[in-house]
Amino acid sequence: MPDLIAKTMPFLRLPRPGPALAGAKLPGLVIALGSMLLIWHLGAMAVLPWIPAPADTAVEIWANLQSAEFWHDFRLTLARVLGAFALATLLGAAIGILIGLSERAEAFFQPLLALALAVPDPVYIIFAILAFGTGETAGFVALTVAVAPFVSNIVRSSVHARDRGLDEMARIYRLPRSAFLRESLLPQLVPALLTAARFSFALSWKLAVVVEAIGQPDGIGASIFESFRLLRMREVAATAIIFILAMQLLERGLLGRLEKRLLRWRA
Amino acid sequence: MSAPDTVLKVADLGVSYGAATAISRLDFEIRRGEFVAILGPSGCGKSSLLNAISGLMAPSRGRVVVDGDELYLPRSRDPRLGYVFQAHRLLPWRTVKQNLEIVLAASDVPRETWDARIDEILGILHIAQFRDSWPMRLSGGQRQRVSIARALLVDPSYILMDEPLSTLDEVTARSLRQELTGICQRTGATVVFVTHSIREAVYLADRILILTRGPSTIFEDYRVPIERPRDYDDARIAEVEADIIRRIQAPWGLGPAEERQSA
Ligand SMILES: Nc1ncnc2c1ncn2[C@@H]1O[C@H](COP(=O)(O)OP(=O)(O)O)[C@@H](O)[C@H]1O
Ligand SMILES: [Mg+2]
């Protein structure tokens, strides 16, 4: 194996784990990425010839980034992801707060939530497509139904774990219900809501791509599936990589910034 | 019959948690401007009493009358109260000023007067410079000052304080204790102050309601025979303290070794 590495990639030496690297973040990332590329490269060369080589894929990525068609699909999928993400998060959070505060609401929603969490996501997708056809509605509904229960669950636990002392404070000073929710409860839920949003976003974009692949004529998922059907693996890899990176950037950038802003009161 | 300046009247009050009785029977009245300390051993029902006279928890028996209105009748008027909790219970995601504004917004104080009112009250408590600070950036003593400011803000019928100094270090507690009497005189506030420190009660209060061990009744309604201004280290305070300790030894079940600790 080391021979093969030396032959195929003479510029790369296998990193030895040592104290100098331990704990350092950047070298770790470089090593992780490097080894992944290496394995990929080796796989493409020696083991599975139908895997596109990294270099070819890079060329394809570049081509994709210049293509209007790609950006059309990208924007379409992004809109679907953001729409479903927003609806699922808002709906899930609202239900989570409701059942966290009201035992009657909890008694009603709890079995539904448990059921919703037990159903595998593809089942929602298939049923939504059967019910609504291949339009926008099916994806929207399937994503919302698949994602919202997770958000509800996280938010509900956080409502239960709230500071009851602040509830008493709100009652003593007779804060109206709206002020209690806005000033006392919601801020306490922020960390849980951020976790829920992260989770919900990740689940949304992954499922959105699946929905497109199964039941929609356009979008990133459909384009990946089309390339796969035609066995154009380079296109599959290139499209997937761009999309995954974009979603990661969005999650870290947007949600990370939001988190900093919302939790700035912490000492 | 109540005196005309009675703000709080508690009659035949009992508080239970399910089958467990916390307060078996209390009767007392508090007049406007009085500083009343509630003194009792741990677990005797002091916090339960405050819950009952603040409207947080309906008593299992008896009546609570605030400014002539029955507290626990349906459709009775909610009294304006202040409450200084053991923990500050400020909203950490709101600045000092915002914390106070939230309380003002919930009352019927006209908005034009908010700023002046907030400035005045922060000035009285010597925390004007923290107006725009986050609570978590303040010290424990400063946070408790904000909490007292919040309680004073709405001109309450009375202010409840549940061991508000017990989590502070002794130096901070001392200075706040000293100021508290001045603040109350300046604002004319009526205060119900729960403590397990006998000296603190003697130093601060006009009257001390000494409770028995739980389930509690009133052991003694004790008027503190020392004129103001008082000095925390005054020998007379120590004398009164020693006198009270002598009396409660038997009913509180204190041994000679425990009594100093409890003080
Ligand atoms: N929420 C509750 N549920 C059941 N019992 C309680 C509750 N709160 C207080 N108690 C009991 O009531 C009694 C009085 O408690 P509390 O009023 O907190 O006493 P104190 O403030 O004097 O220490 C104690 O025996 C306590 O265990
Ligand atoms: Mg207590």
Side-chain angles (χ1 to χ4, degrees):
Chain A
M1 190 74 168
D3 271 357
L4 190 60
I5 292 164
K7 246 184 265 167
T8 51
M9 297 200 130
F11 51 90
L12 247 189
R13 271 181 296 148
L14 269 187
R16 240 176 266 148
L21 290 173
K25 223 173 161 184
L26 195 64
L29 189 68
V30 170
I31 292 165
L33 277 177
S35 1
M36 220 178 69
L37 278 175
L38 183 66
I39 292 169
W40 178 7
H41 180 82
L42 292 176
M45 280 206 46
V47 194
L48 298 164
W50 51 265
I51 295 181
D56 297 340
T57 309
V59 171
E60 185 68 32
I61 287 176
W62 185 247
N64 256 344
L65 290 176
Q66 322 280 357
S67 132
E69 202 183 334
F70 169 81
W71 285 113
H72 173 75
D73 280 337
F74 184 88
R75 270 195 296 274
L76 206 60
T77 304
L78 188 63
R80 287 172 181 155
V81 169
L82 290 180
F85 160 72
L87 184 67
T89 308
L90 286 179
L91 191 70
I95 293 176
I97 290 172
L98 186 68
I99 60 181
L101 289 177
S102 149
E103 278 171 25
R104 278 168 66 189
E106 181 158 24
F108 176 75
F109 277 107
Q110 197 48 45
L112 289 177
L113 275 186
L115 189 71
L117 289 170
V119 175
D121 297 332
V123 175
Y124 290 129
I125 298 174
I126 291 164
F127 272 89
I129 291 172
L130 284 178
F132 302 104
T134 55
E136 294 298 326
T137 321
F140 211 56
V141 169
L143 282 178
T144 306
V145 175
V147 175
F150 283 97
V151 177
S152 294
N153 244 4
I154 296 173
V155 171
R156 193 242 343 239
S157 322
S158 177
V159 172
H160 280 167
R162 75 188 181 276
D163 181 352
R164 306 282 167 156
L166 289 180
D167 290 13
E168 286 186 2
M169 185 279 291
R171 278 177 62 196
I172 287 289
Y173 292 108
R174 294 189 275 140
L175 304 198
R177 193 135 189 95
S178 58
F180 166 71
L181 289 175
R182 189 182 61 242
E183 305 291 344
S184 176
L185 186 64
L186 273 179
Q188 292 186 67
L189 303 183
V190 162
L193 285 170
L194 285 168
T195 307
R198 284 229 156 78
F199 191 86
S200 161
F201 184 72
L203 202 57
S204 293
W205 71 256
K206 283 166 193 164
L207 287 179
V209 173
V210 176
V211 170
E212 287 175 342
I214 300 181
Q216 262 154 0
D218 43 18
I220 293 289
S223 133
I224 289 178
F225 189 68
E226 179 67 12
S227 306
F228 171 70
R229 226 167 42 82
L230 302 172
L231 290 177
R232 294 186 187 143
M233 299 316 288
R234 234 190 302 165
E235 281 172 20
V236 171
T239 313
I241 286 172
I242 301 175
F243 192 66
I244 290 168
L245 285 179
M247 292 301 110
Q248 290 291 316
L249 280 179
L250 212 63
E251 187 195 315
R252 267 149 220 260
L254 233 61
L255 288 174
R257 204 163 288 184
L258 196 65
E259 173 161 12
K260 225 175 226 157
R261 158 113 193 115
L262 287 175
L263 298 180
R264 79 206 133 106
W265 51 269
R266 288 195 172 163
Chain B
M1 259 336 309
S2 301
D5 60 346
T6 298
V7 270
L8 171 68
K9 181 181 162 74
V10 169
D12 189 30
L13 183 82
V15 174
S16 309
Y17 297 93
T21 307
I23 294 174
S24 61
R25 187 200 155 108
L26 292 180
D27 290 274
F28 63 90
E29 287 182 11
I30 291 178
R31 293 175 164 212
R32 194 166 313 288
E34 256 190 323
F35 195 118
V36 175
I38 310 274
L39 187 66
S42 195
C44 77
K46 303 184 292 296
S47 296
S48 304
L49 171 60
L50 292 199
N51 286 342
I53 63 179
S54 65
L56 283 179
M57 184 193 167
S60 49
R61 208 191 54 231
R63 295 163 59 210
V64 177
V65 184
V66 181
D67 278 330
D69 283 315
E70 291 273 350
L71 193 50
Y72 288 100
L73 284 186
R75 281 188 301 169
S76 61
R77 193 172 54 90
D78 280 330
R80 252 195 220 176
L81 301 181
Y83 204 136
V84 181
F85 304 91
Q86 194 165 6
H88 55 85
R89 294 190 185 172
L90 299 167
L91 300 169
W93 37 86
R94 293 281 181 256
T95 63
V96 167
K97 178 169 175 253
Q98 291 167 336
N99 264 283
L100 301 180
E101 283 175 344
I102 286 161
V103 167
L104 286 173
S107 68
D108 45 11
V109 178
R111 192 165 204 125
E112 316 83 72
T113 66
W114 286 8
D115 269 346
R117 221 180 162 93
I118 288 174
D119 285 339
E120 184 196 350
I121 227 98
L122 291 181
I124 291 176
L125 281 141
H126 303 298
I127 42 171
Q129 69 272 37
F130 301 122
R131 199 175 195 267
D132 297 308
S133 305
W134 303 111
M136 301 324 268
R137 306 262 159 91
L138 304 182
S139 72
Q142 290 158 351
R143 283 199 283 257
Q144 211 52 316
R145 280 170 192 268
V146 179
S147 180
I148 294 171
R150 179 174 63 185
L152 286 165
L153 200 59
V154 291
D155 281 335
S157 294
Y158 47 84
I159 301 176
L160 302 166
M161 302 196 184
D162 194 354
E163 310 197 20
L165 308 179
S166 64
T167 57
L168 305 178
D169 63 273
E170 183 50 29
V171 177
T172 309
R174 245 173 198 257
S175 68
L176 208 46
R177 213 178 272 136
Q178 189 181 14
E179 275 178 58
L180 203 51
T181 31
I183 291 166
C184 291
Q185 265 165 1
R186 237 179 113 178
T187 57
T190 310
V191 178
V192 181
F193 188 99
V194 163
T195 178
H196 59 260
S197 157
I198 300 171
R199 180 172 286 236
E200 184 170 85
V202 173
Y203 172 70
L204 288 172
D206 302 312
R207 265 166 75 204
I208 306 178
L209 291 180
I210 304 174
L211 305 184
T212 61
R213 295 220 283 179
S216 50
T217 56
I218 290 181
F219 171 69
E220 189 171 353
D221 190 338
Y222 186 95
R223 187 158 291 279
V224 179
I226 305 172
E227 72 282 6
R228 299 180 189 273
R230 299 172 184 166
D231 175 358
Y232 195 65
D233 299 310
D234 188 346
R236 281 181 304 164
I237 293 210
E239 264 168 45
V240 173
E241 181 190 9
D243 180 41
I244 292 177
I245 289 173
R246 253 193 310 281
R247 293 183 214 209
I248 62 174
Q249 226 164 41
W252 284 23
L254 294 183
E258 271 172 304
E259 69 190 41
R260 279 292 137 198
Q261 261 180 10
S262 168

